[in-house]
Amino acid sequence: MTCWYEGPLAAFDTETTGVDVETDRIVSAAVVVQQGAGTRPRITRWLVNPGVPVPEESTAVHGLTEDHLQRNGRWPAPVMEEIARDLAEQGAAGRPIVVMNAPFDLTILDRELRRHRASSLSRYMEGSPLCVIDPRVLDKQLDRYRKGRRTLTDLCAHYEVELADAHDAAADAQAALDVVRAVGRRFSARLERLSPGELHTLQAVWHAAQARGLQAWFAKSGSPEAVDPAWPLRPELRAAA
């Protein structure tokens, strides 16, 4: 029987105007669907005119200028609808959705849906609940004592996964999917008997513990930064701008 990490998976990624899920906006997104390891992926891309200024520091990361987005991007409302429906289709088909640092990408999508569609991600997923696999959470849990950063670029290097065009939404989504397959193979003894649904539940527990550990480290170092333990979606703490 094929293990989940060798079977059908989807992956989702965004590029944004910044790192605040409550106020920043999506400028590009991608969903990658792969029916099995080594098969040709189906890639859907979206380019968005966010309707707000795009900071130069964000453009420096993903290469998307405000002028380019104004000329070539679509209005956010229909794009957010299409993305949410695509993710719901993956859930209905029983495909786990790989999202690197899921609380960021899924929460910013949720806030965009609230902003532009007067809806929410959970509403779109009512008939097919999200089953998320987050390579960042998996790696931190399964190889917790390894030193160093754990960005997508770092994970790709560690698991020998190609990342040809970092900070392109489609390339990042494909790389995250490949990292999950690599993690599954490396830690097969601990993962192969878990269903994706069971793994989703465990990741919520693992992420909360990881957040508590990071919060304690911040407190010890005198940093006021707060770490949200919610996974894979942060609760709405205040109205999105």
Side-chain angles (χ1 to χ4, degrees):
M1 184 176 179
T2 302
C3 296
W4 62 264
Y5 50 81
E6 301 290 1
L9 293 174
F12 172 61
D13 189 73
T14 66
E15 297 299 328
T16 64
T17 60
V19 297
D20 188 332
V21 295
E22 302 293 344
T23 60
D24 280 305
R25 312 297 175 91
I26 294 172
V27 297
S28 70
V31 171
V32 174
V33 180
Q34 193 177 36
Q35 288 302 109
T39 62
R40 185 180 182 88
R42 173 182 67 78
I43 302 174
T44 306
R45 297 177 173 88
W46 294 269
L47 192 66
V48 186
N49 178 357
V52 299
V54 180
E56 291 183 1
E57 55 267 31
S58 298
T59 295
V61 172
H62 49 59
L64 298 171
T65 66
E66 188 172 334
D67 179 69
H68 177 76
L69 293 169
Q70 288 177 348
R71 291 174 180 271
N72 300 285
R74 296 169 57 201
W75 289 114
V79 171
M80 303 311 151
E81 170 89 6
E82 290 171 15
I83 295 172
R85 289 190 179 279
D86 196 324
L87 294 182
E89 287 175 9
Q90 306 314 317
R95 295 188 196 95
I97 301 171
V98 175
V99 191
M100 175 71 184
N101 191 18
F104 179 82
D105 291 86
L106 295 181
T107 303
I108 201 167
L109 173 60
D110 176 79
R111 303 314 190 247
E112 289 278 52
L113 289 166
R114 294 173 187 272
R115 183 179 293 119
H116 297 291
R117 304 299 303 183
S119 188
S120 66
L121 183 57
S122 60
R123 192 170 301 172
Y124 281 89
M125 304 300 296
E126 283 176 345
S128 50
L130 279 171
C131 180
V132 176
I133 300 177
D134 188 333
R136 185 170 182 266
V137 174
L138 287 186
D139 178 69
K140 289 181 73 174
Q141 175 67 24
L142 298 170
D143 198 1
R144 66 178 70 184
Y145 300 113
R146 189 179 81 250
K147 295 181 179 180
R149 289 157 50 89
R150 299 181 193 242
T151 67
L152 180 59
T153 300
D154 298 318
L155 295 187
C156 286
H158 181 70
Y159 290 99
E160 300 181 343
V161 167
E162 181 181 2
L163 178 55
D165 191 9
H167 299 296
D168 169 83
D172 285 358
Q174 180 67 63
L177 191 155
D178 292 340
V179 166
V180 162
R181 294 198 191 280
V183 171
R185 292 165 189 150
R186 185 168 299 185
F187 297 98
S188 59
R190 299 170 65 181
L191 294 176
E192 63 185 358
R193 294 186 181 181
L194 294 172
S195 70
E198 291 170 332
L199 188 57
H200 177 101
T201 301
L202 284 171
Q203 285 172 103
V205 176
W206 294 343
H207 179 270
Q210 292 163 9
R212 288 194 296 271
L214 184 56
Q215 189 71 75
W217 186 85
F218 282 147
K220 186 176 180 180
S221 62
S223 171
E225 187 171 350
V227 183
D228 195 323
W231 183 96
L233 182 67
R234 297 176 190 170
E236 188 183 24
L237 300 180
R238 57 185 175 86

